[in-house]
Amino acid sequence: MKIVLLSGGSGKRLWPLSNDSRSKQFLKVLKTDSEQLESMIQRIWKQLKSVNLQQSSYIATCKAQVDMVLSQIGSDAPLIIEQERRDTFPAIALASIYLYSCIKTDPDEVVCVLPVDPFVDKSYFEQVKVLDKLVQRSGANIALMGGTPIYPSEKYGYIIPEKGETKHNPQSYMKVRNFVEKPKEDQAISLIEQGGLWNLGVFAFKLKYMLTFLQTMGFPIEYFELEKVYDQLPKISFDYEVVEKAEHVIVVPYDGTWKDLGTWNTLTEEMDTNQVGKGIISENTKNTHVINELDIPVVVIGVSDIVVASSPQGILISDKAASHKIKDIMKSEKERPMYEERRWGWYQVLNYTKISDNNFALTKKIVIDAGKNISYQSHSKRSEVWTILLGAGEFALDDQLYDVKQGDVLKIPKGAKHGIKANSTLEIIEVQMGTELVEEDITRLFMTWDEVIKHCEEKRKEKEQEA
């Protein structure tokens, strides 16, 4: 069995800590056994390893989140990368073709797709293993995992089994009659009485089922060919495009721990501390959480049942029960990410200023971890000035190498090729000036520092020969 973790969504439900680059699965707010903080994607990747599933697992993510995944999981994380974020059907289609075309997975092997962000325990993954056997045994087109409802939720979809199929045996399955998406409470009560299960977003199928499905739609089953027409795949969920159209769908019940940590209310219920970051919560305050990424204190006095979340993106103060409304409130807001993790470290936007009608300035703090480097790159629409606050490294500018250290000021003209490696952890203040200050204005020439050194050495020898 192959596991595909879906990790490409955008982040609004946990604003202001989440954004288009840093979705909820990347927020480090869950405590480990060693009292360290970890994210949801780090937690589930570690859990997969504990049940011997990690070696057959892949992470499907979008191009904008690759650096974030590599930063948290490691540079050797097995990724399947969407060039653009479209929805779960295109993501699962691309992942399936990658497994078939690039990994040479047997078409009769079962593929199990999991969301990257549920809060679960070991029993969840043991039930995932059962899906493999039941797909093979039942001959079903699709197998789902359905959670036993603990209350009539209006937030989740429901899987309704065929009449008489109500035996909840974790080693057995039930045939699916139909699906109901996010019902009102009175309907949810009725669905539960009919044996309805929460749809946990887990799908299992034989690889050849998706190959045939895509061929029927007229799409190629060779990975690089599908990449070329990826934007032509329907932008729709896997549930609507595939599952609800399938003829033979089964569901496997799951009674263990499962929680969608998709709102501040549900997330704070699983946090082992009421406070992350600088701040004070007074003794007469109950059931209040402070999550603070700013370098200034947040003080809460005498206000209960609220969440206070602050980051460079903004500040949220909300009653916990109403915190889910933030997604709708912020849906029309167009924001640039103010904080991002990268494979080499992280950056935070400190200031963004309009200087004139067509000229802007943006200031960042950049931290590059020891031994890491940013790519050798150039920008067509901006110049940059770097001031090194801390650390030492090696700087490349227009094919020449220089040693740099704390206190150095590095000027990078528009169009100049440049990169830097941290010999010790580097803290840099970067000031960009230009007509368009966006992350997309990057032309990457080399990714590794060995390539940069080799390139600069070749250019040096060429100049010596010319002289």
Side-chain angles (χ1 to χ4, degrees), residues 133-269:
K133 300 173 184 177
L134 293 184
V135 169
Q136 301 285 7
R137 195 177 81 199
S138 68
N141 297 135
I142 306 281
L144 310 173
M145 195 152 76
T148 303
I150 56 177
Y151 65 96
S153 172
E154 299 180 10
K155 297 188 300 180
Y156 307 135
Y158 285 73
I159 303 168
I160 315 303
E162 294 280 3
K163 289 184 178 179
E165 301 249 351
T166 56
K167 180 192 271 186
H168 285 200
N169 182 338
Q171 295 296 321
S172 66
Y173 62 88
M174 299 175 283
K175 293 180 181 178
V176 173
R177 185 176 83 220
N178 65 294
F179 303 88
V180 178
E181 184 66 17
K182 297 180 180 179
K184 296 296 184 183
E185 184 176 352
D186 56 348
Q187 186 185 9
I189 293 172
S190 174
L191 294 174
I192 293 172
E193 290 173 350
Q194 298 173 46
L197 301 166
W198 283 345
N199 189 342
L200 304 187
V202 176
F203 315 105
F205 49 84
K206 283 188 179 180
L207 180 58
K208 65 182 178 184
Y209 179 75
M210 276 303 296
L211 300 179
T212 302
F213 192 95
L214 289 168
Q215 284 178 311
T216 301
M217 294 179 73
F219 286 99
I221 58 172
E222 198 281 325
Y223 179 76
F224 296 105
E225 292 302 314
L226 183 63
E227 263 199 325
K228 294 176 184 177
V229 295
Y230 189 67
D231 60 350
Q232 297 176 28
L233 285 167
K235 193 174 183 179
I236 191 172
S237 74
F238 188 77
D239 298 81
Y240 290 152
E241 183 64 24
V242 180
V243 179
E244 296 190 11
K245 296 177 181 178
E247 293 183 358
H248 186 189
V249 182
I250 63 172
V251 59
V252 179
Y254 170 67
D255 293 322
T257 299
W258 180 88
K259 181 177 279 189
D260 175 15
L261 304 185
T263 67
W264 281 116
N265 193 18
T266 54
L267 179 58
T268 53
E269 287 176 353

Side-chain angles (χ1 to χ4, degrees), residues 155 263-271 273-274 286-291 303-308 316-326:
K155 297 188 300 180
T263 67
W264 281 116
N265 193 18
T266 54
L267 179 58
T268 53
E269 287 176 353
E270 300 303 331
M271 291 174 59
T273 177
N274 284 66
K286 297 179 181 178
N287 191 34
T288 284
H289 283 74
V290 171
I291 302 93
V303 186
S304 299
D305 302 313
I306 69 166
V307 59
V308 180
L316 169 70
I317 303 170
S318 174
D319 176 86
K320 285 189 174 181
S323 63
H324 65 281
K325 296 180 181 178
I326 188 64

Side-chain angles (χ1 to χ4, degrees), residues 399-416:
D399 305 334
Q400 293 190 54
L401 294 169
Y402 307 88
D403 290 328
V404 293
K405 62 184 184 308
Q406 182 180 22
D408 286 349
V409 178
L410 313 175
K411 296 182 179 180
I412 304 166
K414 182 170 65 175

